[in-house]
Amino acid sequence: MCRFVTGFSRIALYPFYQIEIEGRERLPRKDAFILLPKHQRWQDIPIIALATPRPLYFIAKYELFANSLAAWFFESLGGIPLNREQPMKSRRSIRAMMEFLKGGEGIVIFPEGTYYNNGMGPGKFGMLRFIISRMSFPLIPTGVQYKKNRSRTTVRISFGDPIYPDKSLPSDSVLHTVMQRIALLSGLC
């Protein structure tokens, strides 16, 4: 399913978007990592998946998984539902995410939690605090920039240098650094 949707996305997005990728070599080839992209619009999700050489698991709002067909579709593409209002209802998803990380997979968390077009939203750090307090994986700040051209929109995906959380520093300090780098990589500061 994932290969089919990736191929379909590549074909469906091609007439509208030209994807430029910077810093792909900064992504771990085999080890786990947490990708933290800027969230401009819904198209970020398939574009980031196309820009990354490895399959990814995406943390997504649980509302997208509301019916069984949608749940099957998004889960088959690597979606992990998260109930932001009642996190205790997401225990199964959180355990799955932790197992994916332990297994060396890449996880995508949009630290703003929702779209903020052409501006940085406040970071929603609950899930990241949880992960940092229990595990140590590289955090990859990722910039996303859209620039409208004549016929197509150029999308620049910029993978930043990995940030390795230091347990001796407060997690909020690390997370604010991540947000600053995402803004810089997205051309928003």
Side-chain angles (χ1 to χ4, degrees):
M1 177 62 129
C2 199
R3 284 185 183 161
F4 170 76
V5 171
T6 298
F8 176 78
S9 295
R10 193 175 310 280
I11 293 166
L13 293 172
Y14 180 80
F16 307 103
Y17 298 100
Q18 176 182 339
I19 303 171
E20 296 178 353
I21 304 163
E22 180 180 290
R24 187 184 282 171
E25 69 281 357
R26 295 181 179 121
L27 297 172
R29 298 272 180 227
K30 297 180 182 175
D31 297 328
F33 62 93
I34 301 167
L35 196 66
L36 302 166
K38 170 71 183 113
H39 207 357
Q40 300 268 20
R41 43 181 99 158
W42 73 266
Q43 293 93 332
D44 298 342
I45 298 164
I47 288 171
I48 287 168
L50 292 172
T52 308
R54 295 175 50 182
L56 299 168
Y57 291 89
F58 286 80
I59 300 296
K61 60 184 179 180
Y62 81 101
E63 294 89 348
L64 294 174
F65 301 77
N67 67 57
S68 57
L69 181 60
W72 171 81
F73 179 74
F74 288 119
E75 287 174 4
S76 68
L77 296 177
I80 302 171
L82 179 69
N83 186 330
R84 294 177 288 192
E85 303 300 317
Q86 299 175 331
M88 293 305 287
K89 290 187 175 181
S90 298
R91 287 184 300 236
R92 186 177 70 90
S93 296
I94 291 169
R95 279 193 297 273
M97 179 194 61
M98 300 302 265
E99 288 304 313
F100 289 137
L101 286 168
K102 287 177 187 175
E105 302 293 344
I107 300 287
V108 178
I109 300 173
F110 290 98
E112 296 165 292
T114 191
Y115 313 135
Y116 287 93
N117 196 2
N118 297 320
M120 287 299 294
K124 307 255 186 201
F125 298 144
M127 180 58 66
L128 290 171
R129 273 193 207 102
F130 176 81
I131 295 169
I132 290 171
S133 71
R134 286 161 178 75
M135 307 171 125
S136 184
F137 294 105
L139 307 174
I140 313 288
T142 304
V144 179
Q145 293 177 294
Y146 289 85
K147 183 179 177 185
K148 182 71 175 152
N149 297 322
R150 287 186 180 168
S151 60
R152 293 176 22 185
T153 298
T154 300
V155 185
R156 176 177 287 273
I157 305 295
S158 302
F159 299 110
D161 290 322
I163 297 171
Y164 296 90
D166 183 345
K167 297 277 187 196
S168 66
L169 295 174
S171 62
D172 280 0
S173 171
V174 173
L175 298 171
H176 287 294
T177 299
V178 166
M179 293 302 285
Q180 289 172 339
R181 294 222 186 135
I182 292 169
L184 182 65
L185 291 164
S186 298
L188 297 172
C189 61

